[in-house]
Amino acid sequence: MAKKHRQKPANLLAQNKKARHDYNIGDTYEAGLALTGTEIKSVRAGKMNLKDGFARIRNGEAWLENVHISPYKEGNVFNVDPLRNRKLLLHKQEIRRLDEATAGKGLTIVPLRVYLKHGYAKVLLGIASGKHNYDKRETLKRRDQDREIARAIKERY
């Protein structure tokens, strides 16, 4: 039998793979993204980098900062700054919860992935606390052990 490969969902546009390695992720929230016309075209083409991005609550509004969206190739004068701050579309209650959660020491809001839902770009945000190096090593060790256990069970049955 052929090996089954994990494929990313068809609507997944960008993913922050380092986030789960560098942070412990708590609650997650889905937020809409306010984008210009050329930005959404570039996002649909997969020209987005979430690696160093984070979200911040300012004046009762949520903003996505330090996320790079490459300029659209055919966009000419309508292209905007690739690193500009983009507004996140959330309910007032969700913004308040995020603000209260990050008011605590050592917590931040990290974008985990960007995907399309009913034609709109959505961001999955996670409330994150930083991991220490020994936590990262422990996670890698646990993952290797789980892989070995799964391999042994597969060979046995």
Side-chain angles (χ1 to χ4, degrees):
M1 184 191 278
K3 210 175 190 183
K4 291 184 182 178
H5 293 286
R6 276 179 134 168
Q7 289 183 332
K8 65 179 186 178
N11 59 357
L12 183 64
L13 301 172
Q15 188 171 7
N16 189 353
K17 293 181 180 181
K18 281 292 259 189
R20 297 210 184 262
H21 181 263
D22 292 339
Y23 300 101
N24 290 319
I25 307 296
D27 294 336
T28 58
Y29 293 89
E30 181 182 77
L33 259 176
L35 300 172
T36 64
T38 56
E39 280 181 322
I40 189 65
K41 289 181 180 188
S42 188
V43 167
R44 285 176 190 257
K47 307 291 184 191
M48 186 173 192
N49 187 356
L50 299 174
K51 186 175 161 185
D52 296 325
F54 62 96
R56 183 180 287 167
I57 309 296
R58 275 187 280 140
N59 301 327
E61 295 179 336
W63 294 89
L64 187 64
E65 299 182 8
N66 210 22
V67 170
H68 187 275
I69 297 178
S70 297
Y72 186 57
K73 203 184 290 184
E74 286 83 27
N76 59 36
V77 297
F78 298 109
N79 283 330
V80 292
D81 179 31
L83 284 174
R84 78 177 183 95
N85 297 339
R86 292 163 183 92
K87 191 171 183 179
L88 293 171
L89 307 174
L90 290 159
H91 291 284
K92 215 178 260 190
Q93 272 185 321
E94 292 174 329
I95 292 173
R96 190 175 36 79
R97 276 191 226 127
L98 286 171
D99 195 23
E100 290 170 359
T102 55
K105 194 173 182 181
L107 295 177
T108 186
I109 307 168
V110 178
L112 301 174
R113 61 179 59 145
V114 175
Y115 51 91
L116 288 178
K117 186 174 180 182
H118 304 296
Y120 295 103
K122 302 285 184 176
V123 179
L124 185 67
L125 300 172
I127 298 176
S129 62
K131 281 186 183 178
H132 297 287
N133 282 337
Y134 55 84
D135 290 334
K136 294 177 188 178
R137 286 192 296 267
E138 183 66 33
T139 303
L140 291 174
K141 189 164 76 171
R142 190 176 314 121
R143 189 181 314 147
D144 288 342
Q145 289 171 348
D146 291 344
R147 209 176 283 144
E148 289 294 326
I149 291 169
R151 193 174 297 138
I153 290 173
K154 187 176 179 182
E155 289 174 2
R156 184 172 288 172
Y157 297 104

